[in-house]
Amino acid sequence: MTENTGVNIGVLGKKSPRRSGAERVVNAPLPTVYGNFQAIGYLDHDRGDEQVALVYGEIGAENVLVRLHSECLTGDAFGSRHCECGDQLEAAMRAVVAQGSGIVVYLRGHEGRGIGLLAKLRAMALQAEGLDTVEANLALGLPVDARDYRVAAEILRDLGVRSVRLMSNNPAKREALTRHGIEVAEQVPLLIEPCESNITYLRTKRERMDHHLPHLDAVAQGS
């Protein structure tokens, strides 16, 4: 006699196929100091990360103003001046509101260009001793940039977006979106005025990581 365990295991014990990619889970209104957004939450089944897209207005499918913002606890939450991340997030949210529509995709798992919070803090400690941001990552045996933009492209496709005006100074983001099937119609500069605490970091991003930061020329001439 076969024991009835009360557990439905499907046909002859076959498991349900494992899901992959980004799944839309929830849509909630998010009033902010910049404007009223819709916070659309996703689960990335491939990495297990929870992601969110902040959508403002009626976005359409073509030439949507978009920011792919890499998670940065120190800059976004604590107001660190070591980087320009917090200022860029604020500027991007203001820009989509001023435009009347747009999307800010906040990419969790991108902390420290993908190396994680503790490793980022270790890299910052090495930078305080004189290494630049590239040298610090390499000294820790870590990649200079480990970010993956696959889930960002999946989120944009789920939102019906085919082409974007990408707010970024980083050509790697444009290349990654294009590689994942999202057309980048325009790359929109997101230039933040540097300060004494981040000018070296920004110069390294321009000189060693090909970020487009022409506004640093005036600072270099004046310093």
Side-chain angles (χ1 to χ4, degrees), residues 111-112 114-127 136-137 140 142-143:
E111 188 76 56
I115 64 175
L117 177 59
L118 295 183
K120 180 178 84 168
L121 294 176
R122 293 187 181 102
M124 289 170 60
L126 291 176
Q127 290 172 65
N137 280 33
L140 293 169
L142 298 170

CSV table of all heavy atoms in Angstrom, one decimal, residues 111-112 114-127 136-137 140 142-143:
chain,number,residue,atom,x,y,z
A,111,GLU,N,26.4,47.3,-5.2
A,111,GLU,CA,27.2,48.1,-4.2
A,111,GLU,C,28.7,47.9,-4.5
A,111,GLU,O,29.2,46.9,-4.8
A,111,GLU,CB,26.9,47.5,-2.8
A,111,GLU,CG,27.6,48.3,-1.7
A,111,GLU,CD,26.8,49.6,-1.4
A,111,GLU,OE1,25.6,49.5,-1.1
A,111,GLU,OE2,27.5,50.7,-1.4
A,112,GLY,N,29.4,49.1,-4.5
A,112,GLY,CA,30.8,49.1,-4.8
A,112,GLY,C,31.1,48.6,-6.2
A,112,GLY,O,32.1,47.8,-6.3
A,114,GLY,N,29.6,46.3,-7.7
A,114,GLY,CA,29.3,44.9,-7.7
A,114,GLY,C,30.2,44.1,-6.8
A,114,GLY,O,30.0,42.8,-6.7
A,115,ILE,N,31.0,44.7,-5.9
A,115,ILE,CA,31.9,43.9,-5.1
A,115,ILE,C,31.3,43.7,-3.7
A,115,ILE,O,31.8,42.9,-2.9
A,115,ILE,CB,33.3,44.4,-5.0
A,115,ILE,CG1,33.3,45.8,-4.3
A,115,ILE,CG2,34.0,44.5,-6.3
A,115,ILE,CD1,34.7,46.4,-4.1
A,116,GLY,N,30.2,44.4,-3.3
A,116,GLY,CA,29.6,44.3,-2.0
A,116,GLY,C,30.0,45.4,-1.1
A,116,GLY,O,31.1,46.1,-1.2
A,117,LEU,N,29.3,45.6,0.0
A,117,LEU,CA,29.5,46.7,0.9
A,117,LEU,C,30.8,46.6,1.7
A,117,LEU,O,31.6,47.6,1.8
A,117,LEU,CB,28.3,46.8,1.9
A,117,LEU,CG,28.4,47.9,3.0
A,117,LEU,CD1,28.5,49.3,2.4
A,117,LEU,CD2,27.2,47.8,3.9
A,118,LEU,N,31.1,45.4,2.3
A,118,LEU,CA,32.3,45.3,3.1
A,118,LEU,C,33.5,45.5,2.2
A,118,LEU,O,34.5,46.1,2.6
A,118,LEU,CB,32.3,44.0,3.9
A,118,LEU,CG,31.1,43.8,4.9
A,118,LEU,CD1,31.3,42.5,5.6
A,118,LEU,CD2,31.1,45.0,5.9
A,119,ALA,N,33.5,44.8,1.1
A,119,ALA,CA,34.6,45.0,0.2
A,119,ALA,C,34.8,46.4,-0.3
A,119,ALA,O,35.9,46.9,-0.4
A,119,ALA,CB,34.5,44.1,-1.0
A,120,LYS,N,33.7,47.1,-0.5
A,120,LYS,CA,33.8,48.5,-0.9
A,120,LYS,C,34.4,49.3,0.3
A,120,LYS,O,35.3,50.2,0.0
A,120,LYS,CB,32.4,49.1,-1.2
A,120,LYS,CG,32.5,50.6,-1.6
A,120,LYS,CD,31.1,51.1,-2.0
A,120,LYS,CE,30.3,51.6,-0.8
A,120,LYS,NZ,29.1,52.4,-1.2
A,121,LEU,N,34.1,49.1,1.5
A,121,LEU,CA,34.7,49.8,2.6
A,121,LEU,C,36.1,49.5,2.7
A,121,LEU,O,37.0,50.4,3.0
A,121,LEU,CB,33.9,49.4,3.9
A,121,LEU,CG,32.5,49.9,4.0
A,121,LEU,CD1,31.8,49.4,5.3
A,121,LEU,CD2,32.4,51.4,3.9
A,122,ARG,N,36.5,48.2,2.5
A,122,ARG,CA,38.0,47.9,2.5
A,122,ARG,C,38.7,48.6,1.4
A,122,ARG,O,39.8,49.2,1.6
A,122,ARG,CB,38.1,46.4,2.3
A,122,ARG,CG,37.6,45.5,3.4
A,122,ARG,CD,38.0,44.1,3.3
A,122,ARG,NE,37.5,43.3,4.4
A,122,ARG,CZ,36.4,42.5,4.3
A,122,ARG,NH1,35.8,42.4,3.2
A,122,ARG,NH2,36.1,41.8,5.4
A,123,ALA,N,38.1,48.8,0.2
A,123,ALA,CA,38.7,49.5,-0.9
A,123,ALA,C,38.8,51.0,-0.5
A,123,ALA,O,39.8,51.6,-0.9
A,123,ALA,CB,37.8,49.3,-2.2
A,124,MET,N,37.8,51.5,0.2
A,124,MET,CA,37.8,52.9,0.6
A,124,MET,C,39.0,53.1,1.6
A,124,MET,O,39.6,54.2,1.5
A,124,MET,CB,36.5,53.3,1.2
A,124,MET,CG,35.4,53.5,0.1
A,124,MET,SD,33.7,53.7,0.9
A,124,MET,CE,33.9,55.2,1.8
A,125,ALA,N,39.2,52.2,2.4
A,125,ALA,CA,40.3,52.3,3.4
A,125,ALA,C,41.6,52.3,2.7
A,125,ALA,O,42.5,53.1,3.0
A,125,ALA,CB,40.3,51.1,4.4
A,126,LEU,N,41.8,51.5,1.6
A,126,LEU,CA,43.0,51.5,0.8
A,126,LEU,C,43.1,52.9,0.1
A,126,LEU,O,44.3,53.4,-0.1
A,126,LEU,CB,43.0,50.4,-0.2
A,126,LEU,CG,43.2,49.0,0.5
A,126,LEU,CD1,43.0,47.9,-0.6
A,126,LEU,CD2,44.5,48.9,1.2
A,127,GLN,N,42.0,53.4,-0.4
A,127,GLN,CA,42.1,54.7,-1.1
A,127,GLN,C,42.5,55.8,-0.1
A,127,GLN,O,43.2,56.7,-0.5
A,127,GLN,CB,40.7,55.0,-1.7
A,127,GLN,CG,40.4,54.2,-2.9
A,127,GLN,CD,38.9,54.4,-3.3
A,127,GLN,OE1,38.6,55.4,-3.8
A,127,GLN,NE2,38.1,53.3,-3.2
A,136,ALA,N,42.7,50.0,-5.7
A,136,ALA,CA,42.2,49.4,-4.5
A,136,ALA,C,41.5,48.1,-4.7
A,136,ALA,O,41.7,47.1,-4.0
A,136,ALA,CB,41.3,50.4,-3.8
A,137,ASN,N,40.6,48.1,-5.7
A,137,ASN,CA,39.9,46.8,-6.0
A,137,ASN,C,40.9,45.7,-6.4
A,137,ASN,O,40.7,44.6,-6.0
A,137,ASN,CB,38.9,47.1,-7.1
A,137,ASN,CG,37.6,47.7,-6.7
A,137,ASN,OD1,37.6,48.5,-5.8
A,137,ASN,ND2,36.5,47.4,-7.3
A,140,LEU,N,42.7,44.1,-3.6
A,140,LEU,CA,41.9,43.2,-2.9
A,140,LEU,C,41.6,41.9,-3.7
A,140,LEU,O,40.9,41.0,-3.2
A,140,LEU,CB,40.6,43.8,-2.5
A,140,LEU,CG,40.7,45.0,-1.5
A,140,LEU,CD1,39.4,45.7,-1.4
A,140,LEU,CD2,41.1,44.5,-0.1
A,142,LEU,N,39.9,41.8,-6.5
A,142,LEU,CA,38.6,41.9,-6.9
A,142,LEU,C,38.5,42.6,-8.3
A,142,LEU,O,39.4,43.4,-8.6
A,142,LEU,CB,37.7,42.7,-5.9
A,142,LEU,CG,37.6,42.1,-4.5
A,142,LEU,CD1,37.0,43.1,-3.6
A,142,LEU,CD2,36.8,40.8,-4.6
A,143,PRO,N,37.5,42.4,-9.1
A,143,PRO,CA,37.3,43.1,-10.4
A,143,PRO,C,37.1,44.6,-10.2
A,143,PRO,O,36.6,45.0,-9.1
A,143,PRO,CB,36.1,42.4,-11.0
A,143,PRO,CG,35.4,41.8,-9.9
A,143,PRO,CD,36.4,41.5,-8.8
